Amino acid sequence: MKIEMGIFGDINGEQVKSYTLINDQNMKMTCIDYGCIITRIDVSDKEGNVENIVLGFDDLEDYVHSSPYFGAVIGRVAGRISPPTIGIEGITYKLPQNEGQNHLHGGPYGFHNVVWKSSSCEGIDQASVIFTYMSSDGEAGYPGNLEVSVIYTLTNNNELIITYHGTSDKSTLLNMTNHTYFNLSGNLKEDILQHELTIKSDQFLELDQFLLPTGNLIDVEHTPFDFRAGKQIIEGTKTAYQQNKIVGNGYDHPFLLNENNKKEICLIHYSSGRKMIVETDEPSVVLYTGNMLQNNIQLRGIPCKKHLGLCLETQHPPNAIHNKHFPSIYLEKNKEYHSRTCFTFTLT
Ligand code: FUC
């Protein structure tokens, strides 16, 4: 294992560092301490070509001004909260709105756009980057001084393991995820419509026109949301099914996972032979197929476009605070928040 460190840029006088973890199979993961952003993951195809399989930039400026959360850690709360008020222990807190009426992905001052403290450590079969951040009481509208950490570990088995921890001195909400857009074709050669996805999920959450869960669960059976036996993403972009249409032709939905840490999600790009398996202890995953991506940004010389990447955001379902039947994201004072997701890269 090897770790290479560099300086990625600086923001408001603060230096932003980069870390590249390299394993013995020549797989590489680069991340920066601004937003804990994963800027690239380089992994071999079936011919031995090592290419980048995530959407990202080489310049900090692009992440600061033009990024739809590429590769970033999201917090305190992933997804939309609407109405943007939360009640905790009898006190009502108003959260800042950054998408119409909604508070989205932790709001305008979320974990994705702050500089984290960072360090790295190296073992024989794995290497890690450790990010920590102190989110002060009232920051982004939420109560509690919250100490959070995110650890990215690359192993010699081509696993990228993300672990999240947090504790707060007041009861609060916490629901973190990572917003990497994957594209297994390599160096963004094509969009993700031919990627085949399998999700062990019998139900997904219905969304309204503002992309908020209505509270209803829908059975995937006989819908474009049935990924249980594998399905190409393109099917959900061509269908007349209203739930695909409403999000801009594709998917932007939370799926409830039937089981955890048992290869519950699998993404395959057949022509490159790349395969990614996702295992998590989270109850759901938001599948977002880049429906809102546009050609207004360049990714290392390649124009962005609709469906160029897809996100698999493992998390508790969004807007849980206003849907009492969803798994709770309430973090009690001085209790430990812990979450883990493992992405394994292999070949078909
Ligand atoms: C996902 C989606 C949203 C949003 C954002 C960039 O998490 O749920 O709709 O567009 O990412």
Side-chain angles (χ1 to χ4, degrees):
M1 298 290 310
K2 224 168 78 178
I3 302 178
E4 288 171 358
M5 272 187 69
I7 305 302
F8 197 75
D10 71 86
I11 178 161
N12 304 328
E14 253 189 296
Q15 204 170 61
V16 173
K17 293 189 274 300
S18 76
Y19 297 83
T20 301
L21 308 181
I22 308 166
N23 75 9
D24 298 347
Q25 301 198 54
N26 218 9
M27 177 179 163
K28 289 186 197 180
M29 189 277 299
T30 303
C31 56
I32 59 175
D33 54 16
Y34 177 76
C36 306
I37 291 171
I38 294 175
T39 61
R40 47 187 308 145
I41 298 177
D42 291 86
V43 63
S44 182
D45 68 3
K46 64 184 175 197
E47 315 290 352
N49 302 307
V50 178
E51 293 169 316
N52 174 38
I53 52 128
V54 304
L55 274 55
F57 302 116
D58 284 334
D59 292 315
L60 183 60
E61 282 293 294
D62 291 330
Y63 283 112
V64 175
H65 300 295
S66 328
S67 179
Y69 306 92
F70 285 156
V73 157
I74 306 296
R76 296 186 187 191
V77 175
R80 297 175 171 83
I81 298 181
S82 195
T85 41
I86 55 173
I88 297 176
E89 294 180 342
I91 303 172
T92 302
Y93 300 88
K94 176 103 180 64
L95 305 176
Q97 296 156 316
N98 57 335
E99 189 205 49
Q101 294 300 302
N102 306 336
H103 172 88
L104 171 66
H105 288 334
Y109 314 105
F111 291 170
H112 62 285
N113 59 9
V114 296
V115 180
W116 294 57
K117 287 199 176 111
S118 61
S119 61
S120 62
C121 71
E122 202 177 326
I124 298 169
D125 279 317
Q126 60 177 58
S128 303
V129 182
I130 301 109
F131 298 105
T132 58
Y133 181 66
M134 223 298 287
S135 172
S136 51
D137 190 12
E139 189 175 302
Y142 297 92
N145 289 299
L146 173 75
E147 299 266 5
V148 275
S149 65
V150 174
I151 305 173
Y152 293 152
T153 300
L154 181 67
T155 75
N156 266 335
N157 298 325
N158 276 7
E159 295 156 319
L160 170 62
I161 303 164
I162 307 185
T163 52
Y164 306 85
H165 292 270
T167 49
S168 170
D169 63 359
K170 281 186 193 166
S171 294
T172 190
L173 301 183
L174 192 57
N175 186 22
M176 297 168 75
T177 192
N178 176 280
H179 210 290
T180 293
Y181 292 69
F182 295 96
N183 180 329
L184 302 183
S185 70
N187 294 346
L188 311 184
K189 277 196 282 295
E190 52 183 79
D191 60 35
I192 48 83
L193 296 181
Q194 262 67 46
H195 283 46
E196 184 188 283
L197 180 65
T198 308
I199 310 179
K200 294 179 185 172
S201 168
D202 294 338
Q203 289 185 310
F204 71 100
L205 301 192
E206 182 185 55
L207 300 184
D208 68 15
Q209 57 177 318
F210 304 108
L211 308 182
L212 284 159
T214 61
N216 295 334
L217 308 183
I218 302 182
D219 290 340
V220 298
E221 187 92 42
H222 306 305
T223 77
F225 288 71
D226 191 350
F227 283 99
R228 292 172 298 185
K231 187 191 287 293
Q232 286 197 341
I233 299 298
I234 196 163
E235 293 196 31
T237 65
K238 294 197 311 196
T239 170
Y241 190 67
Q242 195 258 357
Q243 280 294 302
N244 294 105
K245 296 247 135 269
I246 207 172
V247 300
N249 300 319
Y251 302 89
D252 198 348
H253 293 74
F255 287 75
L256 300 182
L257 296 170
N258 297 346
E259 51 187 16
N260 292 111
N261 298 307
K262 288 197 182 119
K263 301 188 177 175
E264 56 270 28
I265 305 167
C266 177
L267 184 67
I268 297 177
H269 178 255
Y270 279 104
S271 40
S272 67
R274 290 191 181 94
K275 175 173 175 177
M276 179 175 84
I277 296 159
V278 187
E279 297 178 296
T280 185
D281 46 27
E282 287 292 335
S284 64
V285 62
V286 173
L287 167 62
Y288 172 55
T289 51
N291 319 315
M292 292 177 247
L293 293 176
Q294 290 172 17
N295 63 358
N296 55 343
I297 45 175
Q298 294 272 323
L299 300 123
R300 303 183 172 104
I302 294 170
C304 193
K305 62 175 176 186
K306 188 167 181 160
H307 302 141
L308 190 62
L310 71 80
C311 305
L312 290 161
E313 304 159 54
T314 54
Q315 57 175 94
H316 279 46
N319 215 19
I321 187 78
H322 298 307
N323 289 276
K324 299 297 175 204
H325 57 299
F326 291 178
S328 170
I329 60 162
Y330 176 71
L331 176 64
E332 209 179 311
K333 171 182 171 175
N334 298 331
K335 289 273 163 61
E336 260 294 305
Y337 169 95
H338 177 259
S339 169
R340 178 186 191 272
T341 298
C342 177
F343 301 87
T344 305
F345 297 88
T346 174
L347 294 171
T348 49

